[in-house]
Amino acid sequence: TDISKIRNFSIIAHIDHGKSTLADRLIQATGGLTAREMTGNAQVLDNMEIERERGITIKAQTVRLNWKGYELNLMDTPGHVDFAYEVSRSLAACEGALLVVDAAQGVEAQTLANVYQSIEHDHEIVPVINKVDLPSADPEGVRQEIEEIIGLDASQAVLASAKTGIGIEEVLDAIVERIPPPKGDAAAPLKAMLVDSWYDPYLGVVILVRVIDGTLKHGQQVKFMAAGTTHLVDRVGCFTPKRTDLPELGPGEIGFITAQIKEVAETRVGDTITDAKRPAAEALPGFKLVQPVVFCGLFPTDAADFEKLRDSLYKLRLNDASFSFEMETSAALGFGFRCGFLGLLHLEIIQERLTREYDLDLITTAPSVVYEVHLRGGEVRSIHNPADWPDANAIESVEEPWIEATIYMPDEYLGSVLKLCQDRRGVQKNLTYVGTGAHARAQLTYELPLNEVVFDFYDRLKSISRGYASFDYHQVGHRPGDLVKMSIMVNGEPVDALSMIVDRANAEARGRGMCERLKDLIPRHLFKIPIQAAIGGKIIARETIGALRKDVTAKCYGGDATRKRKLLEKQKKGKARMREYGSVSIPQEAFIAALRMG
Ligand code: GDP
Ligand code: MG
């Protein structure tokens, strides 16, 4: 393809502003699929069930469109902060972006975060004000917001409705006219960026690439520069969105290759693919190895499901190189796995898929971030499992990861949000107001320790703002913290799944909250049950569950044999979902519930 006729772009939008619907419309308008192929409730670009339900896109997919003799490559980017690095590589593969803003909702936090990233990649940004068909649409107000908040010239914004089809041709024309063609040298040695990869049961690992220089061909021996591996390209093509084989991909083009690769883990997003015989002198800039930042233990409720859990984790990992797992044994929970994730949403997705697609009942231990623990001898350890926390006397100092969060909300919720951030050791960086009238929003920037955010910050934020606050974050490195390991003991026995690393100043309040919640969550037994929170050997909080009086049960059920049998059966069934600690049965639900902060 003539490089001057190529346009590479992505779509940036806050969740629900219409990115997927618009993408479908563009595919339809350019003839990529017939109307019949478009029908059905599944959006073409959102593949997996969970993505559809949550309305987010996890795996990038790219589609080639033909419009008036131009080759348009639409790059679908993941929509969540946890996948920030993948997003950055997708953006690096494009020269422009459509900025989709809901005409009734206006600019939201994720719009901002994504648009700034897009600007950093020198993109030409084409604003599209979508959903103009809605009675509540206020395109003029939103146009002003785009100018005031983002600082983009929105006088040429395209007014569109992805639902009714208004403005779709204008969007396509604007892509051709305003987004610049890529630059590249066909004669130079091959240099292509590995943008994404996924596992396909028929093809093996499929790799999405953006060719920068040179040509990528079928039968070529290629080298992955960061991974240091060599592969034979056995298929080259693009998606229209149907898979279409091509003889080659030239400079500026986006497409896919396969090279008999078995596991996604062998491919690294951001790697440079070059010709093995005539390699490029240097790799593309910006390569980064993504590392999990949030860890937790996953244990089968029923110990007999261990093998099934392991097989399921292997299957999930086939398609997701960014999540890690290793075997873990816990005194109380038995055999399970310590798993690492890119963030909380990533954790939730994996957990949900294990439960739903693989039908597993799981106990999840408290999520933990990665601490840098400096020991007195000078040794530094990265620790993400409270079980590995060194003895307090051996610790010189501890550093914990911090994030910078941007929260965006209607003014009326500001007070509660400030309090939440303050309670979570946040440091306020900035507070500004943007927009006017019905569109007025407070924009709050806070620095927060990641460990205060991992469990339920997002849930809390949504509930105190009735769903109106949006949240976005990036990491800003490790900082010193006064952190200690808090253990929870039930009937004198430590419940390892509930131990966690906490800020010393908050430890007592956290411990008290945990004990109080556990008191309500653990059913009475025939004996008194002390519940204690401790740091080292020191008890910092305590509650007691009173004993159940034997004669009460006897009296209640004594006379009625059927009822008694039923009760016994019910108890037996419930057993599988209980865990024994120092002869106390703790219901599965109690583990998660206890970790939620009041
Ligand atoms: P995404 O999260 O940005 O991918 O958003 P979707 O494309 O999934 O759209 C979110 C919701 O908005 C869906 O219910 C769409 O049907 C609806 N939607 C998208 N575009 C329009 C539009 O132009 N007008 C109206 N009325 N609804 C739209
Ligand atoms: Mg979508």
Side-chain angles (χ1 to χ4, degrees), residues 412-475:
E412 58 193 296
Y413 304 110
L414 180 63
S416 333
V417 173
L418 283 171
K419 182 171 185 309
L420 174 67
C421 292
Q422 223 51 52
D423 288 349
R424 301 296 170 88
R425 298 193 278 142
V427 178
Q428 190 179 322
K429 301 309 278 186
N430 201 10
L431 170 61
T432 51
Y433 286 88
V434 285
T436 49
H439 290 293
R441 300 273 198 331
Q443 183 191 320
L444 188 59
T445 314
Y446 251 91
E447 287 183 340
L448 292 150
L450 185 61
N451 105 341
E452 300 285 343
V453 176
V454 286
F455 202 76
D456 66 345
F457 183 87
Y458 192 61
D459 288 349
R460 297 279 303 147
L461 182 69
K462 284 285 165 190
S463 88
I464 60 177
S465 68
R466 294 213 241 115
Y468 281 106
S470 41
F471 172 71
D472 203 17
Y473 75 89
H474 62 267
Q475 294 197 61

Side-chain angles (χ1 to χ4, degrees), residues 84-295:
Y85 179 67
E86 293 181 25
V87 174
S88 85
R89 292 308 84 200
S90 306
L91 296 180
C94 298
E95 285 72 39
L98 298 180
L99 167 65
V100 176
V101 183
D102 186 318
Q105 301 294 320
V107 174
E108 300 279 357
Q110 255 174 48
T111 321
L112 279 179
N114 294 338
V115 90
Y116 290 141
Q117 253 198 310
S118 203
I119 290 169
E120 269 172 42
H121 284 96
D122 284 330
H123 282 180
E124 183 61 37
I125 297 168
V126 178
V128 176
I129 301 178
N130 187 36
K131 307 199 191 182
V132 294
D133 61 291
L134 289 177
S136 54
D138 174 15
E140 273 320 304
V142 171
R143 198 196 295 269
Q144 263 178 34
E145 247 186 47
I146 295 173
E147 301 206 331
E148 275 173 32
I149 300 171
I150 305 172
L152 277 179
D153 174 8
S155 61
Q156 303 293 310
V158 182
L159 303 189
S161 166
K163 191 171 167 189
T164 67
I166 299 170
I168 299 305
E169 300 203 344
E170 285 89 327
V171 171
L172 289 161
D173 286 339
I175 294 167
V176 169
E177 283 156 24
R178 296 196 230 158
I179 296 175
K183 294 191 188 83
D185 181 355
L190 172 68
K191 222 184 223 190
M193 181 169 64
L194 195 159
V195 179
D196 192 13
S197 64
W198 59 90
Y199 183 78
D200 181 288
Y202 301 104
L203 304 177
V205 174
V206 179
I207 297 169
L208 187 68
V209 294
R210 155 70 199 264
V211 178
I212 308 294
D213 293 325
T215 307
L216 192 47
K217 291 190 188 80
H218 171 90
Q220 193 174 9
Q221 195 78 34
V222 290
K223 184 171 183 192
F224 291 7
M225 295 177 82
T229 53
T230 307
H231 305 274
L232 183 70
V233 176
D234 59 4
R235 200 183 292 265
V236 175
C238 68
F239 299 96
T240 66
K242 282 177 286 193
R243 204 187 76 228
T244 309
D245 289 347
L246 297 169
E248 60 177 49
L249 292 170
E253 288 195 292
I254 296 176
F256 76 87
I257 59 166
T258 62
Q260 293 164 0
I261 297 172
K262 301 269 180 317
E263 283 183 46
V264 165
E266 293 177 54
T267 63
R268 295 170 188 177
V269 171
D271 202 347
T272 303
I273 301 173
T274 192
D275 190 302
K277 297 200 186 81
R278 190 184 162 221
E282 48 186 42
L284 296 163
F287 174 74
K288 200 171 95 179
L289 204 54
V290 288
Q291 302 280 9
V293 291
V294 176
F295 290 82

